[in-house]
Amino acid sequence: MRLLSTRNPNHLVTFKEALFAGLAPDGGLYHTADSYDFSEQIRALTPGAPFAQTAAGLSEWLLGDEYADAGALAHDALTFSIPLVELEPGISILELFHGPSCAFKDVGASFLAAAMDRALSESGRRAVVLVATSGDTGSAVARAFHGREQIDVVILYPSGRVSDLQEKQLTTLGGNVVALEITGSFDDCQRLVKAAFVDQQLRSRVPITSANSINVGRLIPQAFYYVHGHLSARARGADPASIMFAVPSGNFGNLTAAVLAWSWGLPVAHLIAATNINDVVPAYLSGGPFQPRASVPTVANAMDVGNPSNFERLQAIFGTQEAMARMISGVVSTDEQMLHTIADVRERHGVFIDPHTASGVRAAREYRNRPKLSTQQTNTIVVATADPAKFPDTVYEACGEYPPVPPQLEGLAELPKQSILTEPREEALREFLIERFS
Ligand SMILES: *Cc1c(COP(=O)(O)O)cnc(C)c1O
């Protein structure tokens, strides 16, 4: 597979190179541009096939030149099911939260961990995965990498800005997983990680590598579930050209993965970017300038992002603001609107959804009432990004009931938290990494 930098279309690397580099040397992000066309293969895939089967096929096509067992890699890493559940006419939910940490990020993280592990054991090297999280990335990465012998994991999370349960998921594994509790915001965590990656002196001493949504090793497997969701809808008789996705978005990795799947030939009628009031991308899609700003805390905290890192990829893929706005519409939800949607979905359908997914459901409903560019836009798949049990207090606040706790989350509350309190200074992170890993 060949990938190119958003800042230099002539800088081509292999998947394995991009996997360990994280960012390109010019500071850009890797993506596939328009170099892949799988439309015919996608048409030939089996509607209704299990996720792992579809993922294995896609993995073979993309990575077969770099991994002898690319299909098996996907098959072994992606062991959980991803059901498509009908919610109401025209709107269904793709449940991406049945993995080890109960969030969609398990898909990317599990594939990434397996891909890195295979590549490192071939070459006998080690790596330190450095990751900033606003909650769910860290727990998915921690679970995916925990116990892998050639890899250490350092997680930076904003103190007091993740839920108790998320914090327990980040800080209780121990072993090769270290949690740095940063006395700042998620944007601070992200800034620290970015600074570490451009620090060549640090990189010459510590083999750091990224696991954030900037890493293509996470992005590419996420594209697989859009193909899977599409095939699941087709199995129920949906017209392939009628299918849209509504994607709860923060750093826009998930939405960028949908764009990748579309660029590979998946027929997608339209994409809806659902955000909370951190709305810099929806503002841009409505024709305004792109104006990053400090994030504001909301009930959908994994989407509290003021400067989405994947925006640069979207810009590189679409080229112009008009082209991006033709394919993607933004819908912004306030806390009140998300809470109301949780209560409404519970009351009307008997189903619990988490606050992030609620922004997606609300966006899908709102978009149905808008005048459309195309009459084909009739089936919206809302990407459900987390199990509601990860946000019990918000769900309770919304509808007066607690959602059932899945087995993956049972017993976490009783485990002791282990974290290292760290100031949001680049030097502090640098010193920690050198002391611990060089
Ligand atoms: C990470 C996350 C999001 C946002 O995903 P991006 O890829 O950063 O846009 C939405 N919902 C949940 C539950 C998440 O964990």
Side-chain angles (χ1 to χ4, degrees):
M1 175 170 207
R2 293 295 174 273
L3 296 144
L4 49 90
S5 165
T6 48
R7 299 192 188 171
N8 177 3
N10 300 316
H11 174 78
L12 290 175
V13 297
T14 64
F15 174 80
K16 281 182 187 165
E17 284 165 342
L19 191 62
F20 290 100
L23 282 177
D26 56 19
L29 302 154
Y30 290 113
H31 67 107
T32 58
D34 46 10
S35 29
Y36 294 89
D37 182 359
F38 295 127
S39 357
E40 290 202 3
Q41 289 96 325
I42 288 173
R43 259 197 301 279
L45 286 169
T46 313
F51 173 55
Q53 183 182 323
T54 302
L58 291 162
S59 185
E60 283 289 344
W61 299 335
L62 285 159
L63 300 173
D65 61 334
E66 291 185 58
Y67 290 89
D69 56 352
L73 193 164
H75 215 280
D76 297 347
L78 305 170
T79 51
F80 32 92
S81 65
I82 300 185
L84 181 71
V85 177
E86 179 112 34
L87 188 71
E88 58 198 34
I91 299 182
S92 51
I93 292 192
L94 189 64
E95 293 186 353
L96 292 170
F97 51 74
H98 297 289
S101 82
C102 299
F104 81 96
K105 294 188 175 80
D106 287 324
V107 174
S110 303
F111 189 88
L112 176 75
M116 280 187 173
D117 205 43
R118 271 175 162 77
L120 287 168
S121 42
E122 279 166 13
S123 62
R125 285 177 300 147
R126 296 193 61 81
V128 178
V129 167
L130 193 58
V131 54
T133 184
S134 55
D136 281 344
T137 296
S139 42
V141 167
R143 289 293 300 262
F145 283 89
H146 185 232
R148 298 215 181 246
E149 289 195 352
Q150 266 141 311
I151 307 177
D152 288 290
V153 182
V154 177
I155 294 167
L156 288 76
Y157 74 95
S159 183
R161 301 254 191 123
V162 303
S163 75
D164 292 348
L165 197 70
Q166 283 177 326
E167 186 168 38
K168 283 295 169 76
Q169 285 187 299
L170 299 174
T171 58
T172 56
L173 284 170
N176 63 334
V177 178
V178 185
L180 298 184
E181 181 175 355
I182 304 294
T183 51
S185 66
F186 171 64
D187 291 335
D188 287 322
C189 298
Q190 212 168 23
R191 172 177 56 79
L192 292 178
V193 168
K194 279 194 171 172
F197 280 112
V198 296
D199 183 343
Q200 291 309 325
Q201 207 200 347
L202 172 65
R203 297 194 74 168
S204 69
R205 298 182 65 180
V206 183
I208 53 171
T209 185
S210 99
N212 275 42
S213 56
I214 57 171
N215 195 304
V216 286
R218 267 184 54 188
L219 197 62
I220 283 166
Q222 286 185 198
F224 298 170
Y225 56 67
Y226 287 98
V227 180
H228 167 72
H230 205 273
L231 289 169
S232 306
R234 273 172 59 190
R236 303 227 183 106
D239 171 2
S242 72
I243 298 166
M244 301 186 281
F245 292 94
V247 188
S249 296
N251 256 322
F252 282 76
N254 206 356
L255 190 104
T256 302
V259 172
L260 282 189
W262 168 69
S263 77
W264 299 342
L266 184 72
V268 177
H270 199 64
L271 292 168
I272 304 168
T275 70
N276 57 32
I277 56 168
N278 294 285
D279 66 347
V280 299
V281 175
Y284 175 82
L285 293 169
S286 317
F290 181 65
Q291 272 175 330
R293 54 171 192 263
S295 63
V296 182
T298 73
V299 295
N301 67 12
M303 300 172 6
D304 295 348
V305 181
N307 187 8
S309 51
N310 281 289
F311 183 73
E312 184 167 330
R313 277 196 176 109
L314 292 175
Q315 252 184 333
I317 294 169
F318 285 105
T320 66
Q321 187 169 11
E322 292 69 33
M324 199 191 299
R326 251 197 314 278
M327 187 63 197
I328 311 172
S329 298
V331 178
V332 183
S333 294
T334 63
D335 278 6
E336 213 181 3
Q337 288 169 324
M338 289 183 272
L339 293 173
H340 177 263
T341 305
I342 293 171
D344 179 78
V345 167
R346 174 68 185 147
E347 196 180 300
R348 237 191 268 194
H349 304 300
V351 172
F352 289 105
I353 54 172
D354 86 287
H356 307 80
T357 304
S359 76
V361 170
R362 200 192 84 81
R365 287 172 167 177
E366 211 255 18
Y367 188 80
R368 275 183 88 74
N369 297 324
R370 287 189 188 178
K372 306 293 184 298
L373 297 172
S374 150
T375 51
Q376 279 189 314
Q377 301 170 4
T378 52
N379 281 297
T380 306
I381 296 176
V382 176
V383 168
T385 50
D387 191 298
K390 294 195 82 172
F391 304 91
D393 297 336
T394 307
V395 172
Y396 185 84
E397 185 189 343
C399 67
E401 290 173 86
Y402 286 106
V405 178
Q408 298 98 305
L409 301 181
E410 267 170 19
L412 266 182
E414 284 75 53
L415 296 176
K417 156 180 160 183
Q418 296 170 276
S419 68
I420 301 172
L421 209 61
T422 308
E423 286 177 33
R425 286 185 302 111
E426 293 166 19
E427 198 48 37
L429 176 62
R430 191 168 195 282
E431 275 165 22
F432 170 81
L433 291 172
I434 288 175
E435 212 162 278
R436 174 82 67 126
F437 299 111
S438 73

